[in-house]
Amino acid sequence: KIMFGTTSQASVGNASGSTPALTMRTVSLTAFGSEDSLMFHKGHSRPEIGESEVLVRVRATTVSDIDRAVFKGVLPELLRPPIVLGYAISGIVDQLGSEVSRFKVGDEVCGISPLNIGGGYAEYVAMGQHVLVHKPLEVSHEEAACALVGGLRAYTALQTKMRIVPGDSILITNGASCVGHIAVQLAGFWGAKVFVTASSAEQINYLQDLRVNIERIIDVTTESLFDVVMEETGGLGIDFVFDTSLLSLTSSPTPSTLATTTPTTTPKATTLTATLTTPTTATNATCGPVRSSDIIRALSIHGTWITGTNIQLDPPEAKLLLFKGCSISFLFEQAWNLSTLQQGRYLHILTNLMERLSRGDIAVKISKEYPLEKLRDAHRSFDSVPVGCIVIKT
């Protein structure tokens, strides 16, 4: 039985008994928000393990948006410095707790550390056996680590939230990102009509080269999201929008720009139809970062917006959602590790992701690799990586 929070950050590096402590390299965050607060240590003590835990020799981890969110202090109620980040972990079982039955020493494993624990920015980490799965030999440690956070979020959105079926239309924002590029491949594999947004030539080229049928790549720097969606769907809109970001969207226009230009003398039924389908001239011409108003207008009647963003809608946006019968579904994939009641489904997702990687159904894009000693540089480069993931090799 794995309880959320039963392993503390302090356990990373606390050795027990009278025998000399074995040491490891690690990087700890001593203050929120500054890369200079990522401190490298050579002689950190290796963690003890509990009865149902395994000691994993970390081979690869990532700089994910979860790591960046905690780094910036978005979740101070769960973690406070000094802490060791690194949530997506792939490595080799080095030691077993007395009640571990799913693994043996030498097994190659991967998993996501609970949000209040982390620990992957180190050579060794203690992890509960029920947050780990076997890593296929055909999949490298770097590929496995890259797939974990993005894959879990994409799988949770597409299957748990949307229950997507062939023929559904889906818009995936930032489709070349660490989360987006996996979501695009999974959605295409499951038969959805996939639309994606991109904002650079590098992203567009990458998406065009994917082995998946994409209905339309929308360059938000030169095209209006709403116009393209209406054109491509014959005015019907999109069934699902998957906003892949974890932090906030760009703010929407002022409420006045959300009003329609329909004359006041138009009959009420026509005015409502215009409200549901026609943006103002200003909104219609707008390109650039995706805004909440863009997403709402692009949704079909009774469409669903899946987001991990703590959004705040203006009253006109909320009203438009109501008139269209649309819904917002909040996504927090780390919730899988908040309860022991869903461990089977969680492990199924991770296992399925690894199987799809090993078969070639999906592929991950590793944009940059850094050694643990260069973790500061890796975090500094996070916002400048337009495609795929950043991997840390330990």
Side-chain angles (χ1 to χ4, degrees):
K1 183 178 181 181
I2 304 298
M3 296 300 293
F4 180 74
T6 56
T7 303
S8 68
Q9 277 285 341
S11 73
V12 179
N14 290 337
S16 67
S18 58
T19 56
L22 297 174
T23 61
M24 65 179 181
R25 295 175 301 127
T26 187
V27 177
S28 62
L29 179 68
T30 59
F32 288 132
S34 170
E35 284 81 9
D36 291 334
S37 297
L38 291 165
M39 307 301 294
F40 179 76
H41 307 279
K42 286 185 177 179
H44 211 282
S45 298
R46 294 184 191 178
E48 286 186 321
I49 57 172
E51 293 179 341
S52 60
E53 293 180 324
V54 300
L55 185 67
V56 177
R57 170 61 175 95
V58 181
R59 293 300 186 188
T61 182
T62 64
V63 180
S64 68
D65 54 4
I66 291 291
D67 295 291
R68 290 295 291 176
V70 176
F71 167 86
K72 293 177 180 180
V74 173
L75 300 167
E77 62 273 15
L78 290 180
L79 287 169
R80 292 186 179 277
I83 52 179
V84 178
L85 303 178
Y87 291 97
I89 295 166
S90 183
I92 301 171
V93 175
D94 186 80
Q95 186 180 342
L96 302 175
S98 60
E99 295 184 1
V100 173
S101 59
R102 299 181 60 240
F103 304 102
K104 63 182 185 297
V105 172
D107 282 351
E108 296 189 0
V109 295
C110 61
I112 300 174
S113 183
L115 193 57
N116 67 329
I117 297 175
Y121 293 163
E123 287 186 283
Y124 292 87
V125 62
M127 298 183 71
Q129 65 168 327
H130 295 295
V131 299
L132 291 167
V133 297
H134 288 92
K135 180 190 73 64
L137 296 178
E138 300 85 358
V139 178
S140 71
H141 289 291
E142 293 79 13
E143 290 171 329
C146 183
L148 285 168
V149 170
L152 179 63
R153 187 175 307 159
Y155 203 114
T156 304
L158 295 170
Q159 288 293 334
T160 307
K161 293 288 187 178
M162 300 179 194
R163 302 186 184 277
I164 202 162
V165 296
D168 284 343
S169 60
I170 177 173
L171 170 68
I172 299 172
T173 67
N174 199 7
S177 66
C178 187
V179 178
H181 82 296
I182 298 176
V184 168
Q185 294 175 78
L186 287 174
F189 183 84
W190 286 320
K193 297 177 180 179
V194 182
F195 299 81
V196 298
T197 67
S199 57
S200 71
E202 184 176 355
Q203 292 178 346
I204 292 171
N205 291 337
Y206 168 77
L207 290 166
Q208 288 174 337
D209 290 340
L210 282 177
R211 294 181 302 169
V212 62
N213 181 38
I214 298 176
E215 298 288 326
R216 179 71 179 268
I217 300 170
I218 305 170
D219 183 353
V220 294
T221 66
T222 61
E223 298 178 294
S224 161
L225 175 68
F226 179 85
D227 285 352
V228 172
V229 167
M230 290 299 108
E231 175 187 349
E232 293 290 333
T233 63
L236 295 177
I238 295 288
D239 297 323
F240 298 100
V241 174
F242 178 22
D243 165 26
T244 62
S245 62
L246 182 68
L247 303 178
S248 1
L249 287 166
T250 300
S251 58
S252 294
T254 57
S256 61
T257 66
L258 294 175
T260 67
T261 54
T262 308
T264 55
T265 56
T266 303
K268 289 184 179 181
T270 305
T271 302
L272 179 57
T273 301
T275 301
L276 300 183
T277 59
T278 308
T280 63
T281 302
T283 303
N284 193 41
T286 297
C287 304
V290 177
R291 305 169 303 188
S292 56
S293 58
D294 299 326
I295 290 176
I296 294 169
R297 288 190 178 279
L299 282 169
S300 65
I301 301 299
H302 301 300
T304 301
W305 173 9
I306 310 292
T307 181
T309 302
N310 184 18
I311 58 174
Q312 294 182 344
L313 299 180
D314 291 326
E317 295 173 326
K319 191 174 185 179
L320 185 56
L321 273 175
L322 171 64
F323 283 165
K324 296 179 74 169
C326 293
S327 61
I328 297 177
S329 181
F330 289 98
L331 174 66
F332 186 62
E333 74 281 356
Q334 300 298 318
W336 291 112
N337 279 335
L338 293 175
S339 169
T340 60
L341 301 178
Q342 299 288 326
Q343 288 297 324
R345 296 180 66 188
Y346 166 75
L347 293 177
H348 168 76
I349 292 173
L350 296 190
T351 300
N352 190 263
L353 281 171
M354 292 302 113
E355 290 174 350
R356 293 190 184 283
L357 269 177
S358 67
R359 294 198 303 259
D361 294 338
I362 60 174
V364 293
K365 172 66 174 178
I366 300 173
S367 293
K368 291 186 177 182
E369 293 184 0
Y370 292 87
L372 187 62
E373 293 83 351
K374 298 291 185 180
L375 188 61
R376 287 182 180 179
D377 294 338
H379 270 260
R380 288 191 179 107
S381 70
F382 181 81
D383 292 329
S384 64
V385 174
V387 177
C389 307
I390 299 173
V391 169
I392 307 300
K393 300 176 71 172
T394 62

